[in-house]
Amino acid sequence: MLRIGLFLLTNLAVMLLVGVIFNLLGIQGILDANGVNLNLPGLLLMCAIFGIGGALISLLLSKTIARMTTRTQVIDKPQTADERWLVETVRELSQKAGIGMPDVGIFPMPQANAFATGWNRNSALVAVSAGLLQRFNRDEARAVIGHEIGHVANGDMITLALIQGVVNTFVMFFARLVGFFVDRVLLRNEQGLGIGYFITSIIMDMVFGVFAMMIVAWFSRRREYRADAAGAHLASPDAMIAALARIKAESEAGREEPLPSNMKAFGIYGNSMAALLASHPPLEDRILALQNSAHR
């Protein structure tokens, strides 16, 4: 909650700063002079409510959404040797990382993958695929679990959701600002909101949205290196490197199957046709980073 509070205060400060800059530049006066009857502070506040509010709601529902989209079965009472090992390993590494015991689950994917999610570092969900449990040895699986617990301990789910909320806010704000300008200044519409406003806003939502995705993806790639380091610390550097190397080999053999789109950023690996939109760095770069760290 402290992290959320500090982040919201930071966002409020950013919005106030944007408002001051607009006033200093006289943007409100320019809009008024051109017949654009637009309340910039009010528009920014409305966009913040929808942008940040939507991200926080998604965060609060993240465990439920993750279970539904991946068909994860949470382990209440371990029934098999694999389930008992998984629960005990999550408990051990969680205690070592200083977080509360997460819910533990398995999802029915034959490919090797895992994810962590949850709005609170002491009330998270850590799940691994059936394929990972079947094919990875215990040290490799333990490192992958350590990576996911690293995400939880670092508060990555909260940070990424709030960053998404901030960029959503400014995407909505600037898209509608351009829409108002086109509608009132270029098309000279003087009654309400015309078709120019709606079409322009939709187009600019998509254009600005691509740049917003790049910003979020950049933050996501940075946190993957931190989670890899956490996995190396909680398990061992050699085990973390071996786990990533095995995932890379399976990916090259065509055995990969990414998580659902809403969960890609929270998995152990991801892919994208465009490097700037990738939620995860290339596996070879992550392996090299761990090797360089181990040799220091």
Side-chain angles (χ1 to χ4, degrees):
M1 290 303 295
L2 177 61
R3 180 186 292 263
I4 293 177
L6 290 174
F7 214 101
L8 290 176
L9 287 175
T10 302
N11 295 334
L12 179 60
V14 170
M15 288 189 289
L16 289 174
L17 177 61
V18 171
V20 170
I21 292 174
F22 282 165
N23 285 331
L24 291 176
L25 294 177
I27 293 178
Q28 185 72 65
I30 294 173
L31 293 174
D32 293 340
N34 285 276
V36 182
N37 184 21
L38 178 62
N39 181 349
L40 288 178
L43 176 62
L44 185 58
L45 178 60
M46 181 198 72
C47 293
I49 291 172
F50 282 98
I52 298 176
L56 289 176
I57 290 172
S58 296
L59 179 64
L60 292 172
L61 296 176
S62 61
K63 286 170 62 173
T64 300
I65 294 172
R67 288 198 301 266
M68 293 175 59
T69 56
T70 62
R71 293 181 293 151
T72 294
Q73 295 295 317
V74 174
I75 302 172
D76 294 319
K77 295 181 179 180
Q79 302 294 323
T80 67
D82 280 344
E83 290 182 356
R84 286 191 290 272
W85 176 85
L86 178 60
V87 171
E88 288 305 315
T89 300
V90 171
R91 178 176 288 109
E92 174 201 348
L93 297 184
S94 297
Q95 290 175 349
K96 189 174 181 180
I99 64 172
M101 177 65 181
D103 292 336
V104 183
I106 300 174
F107 54 99
M109 178 184 286
Q111 288 73 20
N113 214 324
F115 69 84
T117 191
W119 74 275
N120 189 306
R121 68 198 302 268
N122 293 316
S123 180
L125 166 66
V126 173
V128 302
S129 68
L132 184 143
L133 279 181
Q134 291 167 2
R135 292 193 305 279
F136 279 38
N137 65 43
R138 290 294 192 242
D139 287 340
E140 293 165 346
R142 190 170 185 270
V144 171
I145 295 167
H147 170 102
E148 299 304 336
I149 289 175
H151 278 312
V152 178
N154 293 333
D156 287 340
M157 287 77 71
I158 298 173
T159 301
L160 201 61
L162 292 172
I163 290 172
Q164 183 70 66
V166 173
V167 297
N168 287 347
T169 295
F170 287 102
V171 165
M172 294 174 63
F173 176 75
F174 286 111
R176 278 141 192 82
L177 185 60
V178 174
F180 269 105
F181 181 82
V182 170
D183 191 53
R184 294 295 178 87
V185 178
L186 299 184
L187 300 181
R188 300 294 182 180
N189 175 51
E190 297 180 356
Q191 295 182 349
L193 299 175
I195 189 66
Y197 166 80
F198 294 104
I199 293 178
T200 303
S201 295
I202 292 172
I203 293 173
M204 297 313 298
D205 271 332
M206 293 186 289
V207 172
F208 292 146
V210 172
F211 291 102
M213 289 169 60
M214 291 180 183
I215 294 172
V216 175
W218 184 86
F219 278 100
S220 180
R221 290 194 295 273
R222 300 283 74 75
R223 75 191 181 96
E224 285 303 315
Y225 288 114
R226 294 177 61 204
D228 286 342
H233 171 70
L234 294 173
S236 76
D238 289 342
M240 191 72 247
I241 291 171
L244 293 177
R246 182 181 285 267
I247 292 171
K248 182 174 182 293
E250 292 199 357
S251 175
E252 291 172 347
R255 300 185 66 175
E256 66 174 333
E257 179 183 336
L259 290 167
S261 58
N262 65 307
M263 293 301 302
K264 282 183 180 179
F266 303 114
I268 184 68
Y269 76 95
N271 55 19
S272 175
M273 294 297 291
L276 290 176
L277 298 176
S279 61
H280 292 60
L283 286 163
E284 53 268 25
D285 291 353
R286 294 165 63 183
I287 292 171
L288 182 60
L290 286 172
Q291 290 172 335
N292 291 337
S293 179
H295 292 152
R296 288 175 186 171

